[in-house]
Amino acid sequence: MVRTARNNIENEKPAPSWRMRALVWFIDLCMLGLVAVAIYVVIVFLQMPSLDAILHETRPATVVFLDKDGGELRSSNRIMGTPVSVETLPPYVWQAIVAIEDKRFFEHGPIDFRGITRAVFSNLIHGRFAAGGSSITQQTAKNIFLSREKKISRKVQELILSYWLENRFNKNQILDLYMNRVSLVGGMRGIDAAARTMFQTSANNLSIAQAAQIAAMLKAPTTYSPLRNPEKNIARARIILQEMVRQGFISLNQARVAAKELGPAVPAPNTNIYRYWTDFVLDEVRSRIGSFDSDMFVYTTLDTDLQERIAEILPEKVGVYQGAVVAMNTDGAVRAMVGGTDYQESQFNRALAMRQPGSSFKPVVYLVALENGLTPDSYVNDSPFAIGDYNPKNYNERYYGDITLATAFAKSVNSVPLKLTETYGIDTVLNMAGRLGVGNKLRREYSTVLGASEMSLLDLTTIYAVIWNDGQSVRPYSITKITDPKGNVLYERNPSDPIQVLMPQTVEYMTQLLNDVVQVGGTGHRAMVPGVLGGKTGTSNNNRDAWFVGAINDMVIGVWMGNDDFTPMSSKITGGTIPAEIFRDIVK
């Protein structure tokens, strides 16, 4: 009995205390929590975007358009600035960023735990979110890969990506990614884009002051924009300069000099005045080299000063109507093209629109007459004319009887070119138009003689360019060469020898006729200022279109005015009124 009792006592074990049971439960819960966290992290990781795909994301090829002197006009499809690098930038540019965004960037790992701790205490002291602790690596992960949604899953992805970036790239490469991908200007990324927008210079040419002002935008691009909120931007830029001194990036004297240079950014020039032109040139690029997937520089024939002057004059003169202007050297180089009064309101390029040229087509008929032996002094008869059901009348239904060819041309009567066409044949007229470059676009009917067959302002200006090019063929061109960013030539214009389209005597007579138009008594007299060689007016039926084409020195300028919906303008508007005045204001 005694032995049995002793054995029972020995076999009995004390029950675990409540503390022990709680500890076991806590450990089990921790293990379950760790497993749950691990599963959650795996799920979040699987939902992440393809890292390599985004790092090597494709973007539309950027086309940079240059004027005739090599100055940049604007760029197309540019969503990023020119790539920059720690190795090529002036050191103070990236140092300004490090000084304010992550001063221990080169010392800590993917996450700056000291910075996070400091930010937490700062926020507690201020009672609000006054400071952030994200490292540049974290910001890079967020900028490149992630949305701006404030979710726990996004923060977990950010941490995973930060470790991945630090494992794959060195610190300089991560900083390069950050500088090239950060969004500071609406729709564009990279500090180079910000530099060009805010200060009209590249990131490589930024001053210390400008670098500090761009770094100031990193906290909140709109709030600290030197364009929208210059005072806030300058105040933060001063703090950045102080930090750069404190961290040994610049001297105190450099900071003082830079502080004096801080100021509001000047808005970049409005490039919309070039948009009709660059849209036209971009189509020419595609016709020259086909599709493309790499950046390129397109050297064009545009005269920037002339384009800006026309863009200023046109809307002032046409008022509630629309207008277009083409300026072309007599060798075919297009120096200006304005396709409307406001590109932002309408991107339709009216310089390329097909409209009825009216009397501005008549020189084609007169060239036929001059080639067949008539001279400006030859007499012709101005009287009512009809062929079948077609019986157009003169303007104001006034007829002059027997007059010289020069008078008929200067007064732009209708019967004379119709009678000349009857004499020499409609096919002869169309053949002349073909020699001048537009014959295949015209209808074979008598109304074509008075400008009823549509053509563009560019086509019409080309016809006159042939005349003032001593009768030699003219082929309009807008591009001299195309290169890649390294300067390799992708296309270069190789002009062919011009063809003699008109005989010298014919050209001499026609230029005399065109000069008479701008003299007193001619329909284009309002266009006359010193240096004008001549011109021609044109007005289509019911004043739907009004034209003037004239020349100075080696340049031909064509003007069109009308309504997009083809409704008539005021009866007082003809080619000899506002279009002729626009020409005059451009050249005087």
Side-chain angles (χ1 to χ4, degrees), residues 185 197-200 213 217 221-222 224-230 233 263-268:
V185 182
T197 302
M198 302 298 171
F199 303 111
Q200 291 79 61
Q213 290 190 261
M217 298 173 64
T222 301
Y224 292 96
S225 167
L227 280 174
R228 297 187 178 184
N229 297 298
N233 176 270
V266 178

Side-chain angles (χ1 to χ4, degrees), residues 25 96 98 113 131 169 211 227 232 342 398 423 429 459 564 571:
W25 292 339
V98 171
F113 291 103
F169 302 105
L227 280 174
K232 288 186 177 181
D342 189 333
R398 181 179 178 183
T423 300
V429 173
D459 291 335
D564 288 340
S571 60

Side-chain angles (χ1 to χ4, degrees), residues 406-436:
T407 301
F409 190 83
K411 294 185 178 297
S412 197
V413 300
N414 285 335
S415 70
V416 170
L418 289 169
K419 292 177 179 179
L420 293 173
T421 300
E422 186 178 42
T423 300
Y424 301 113
I426 184 70
D427 289 331
T428 305
V429 173
L430 295 180
N431 177 263
M432 173 61 74
R435 287 159 58 186
L436 298 171

